[in-house]
Amino acid sequence: MDEEIFNMELRKFLKKVGVTSQREIETAVRDGIEAGKLKGSETLKVKAVLTIEGLDLSHDIDGEIKLG
C-alpha cells in the first residue's frame, strides 16, 4: 500500500463527506422550519453510519446539533 496515496484519497473522501453532509443537513433543517416541523430552537439528534464494503466495517457516529 502506498501510504501517501491512501492518505490523500482518504482526505478527499472525508472532505466530500463533510461538505455533502453539511449541505444536506442545512437543507433539511431549512425545509423543516418552512414546513412547521421545526421551530428553530431544537437540539437535533444526529447519526452517521460509516461502512466499508468488503472490510466488515460498520461504525455509528452519534451527536447533537443545536439550532438555537
Side-chain angles (χ1 to χ4, degrees):
M1 176 173 69
D2 186 320
E3 290 288 336
E4 189 173 326
I5 291 173
F6 172 61
N7 189 277
M8 188 170 46
E9 290 297 312
L10 182 56
R11 287 175 184 263
K12 283 190 329 189
F13 173 74
L14 292 173
K15 183 176 180 180
K16 182 177 180 180
V17 168
V19 170
T20 303
S21 297
Q22 181 174 350
R23 183 173 41 238
E24 292 297 321
I25 291 167
E26 288 172 345
T27 299
V29 168
R30 287 189 185 106
D31 290 349
I33 291 171
E34 287 179 16
K37 295 179 181 178
L38 296 173
K39 295 178 183 175
S41 58
E42 296 87 348
T43 297
L44 305 175
K45 291 184 180 184
V46 296
K47 179 178 187 174
V49 180
L50 174 66
T51 58
I52 299 179
E53 290 182 23
L55 290 182
D56 196 30
L57 172 68
S58 180
H59 181 72
D60 296 349
I61 304 155
D62 296 306
E64 293 183 341
I65 298 173
K66 294 179 184 178
L67 302 182

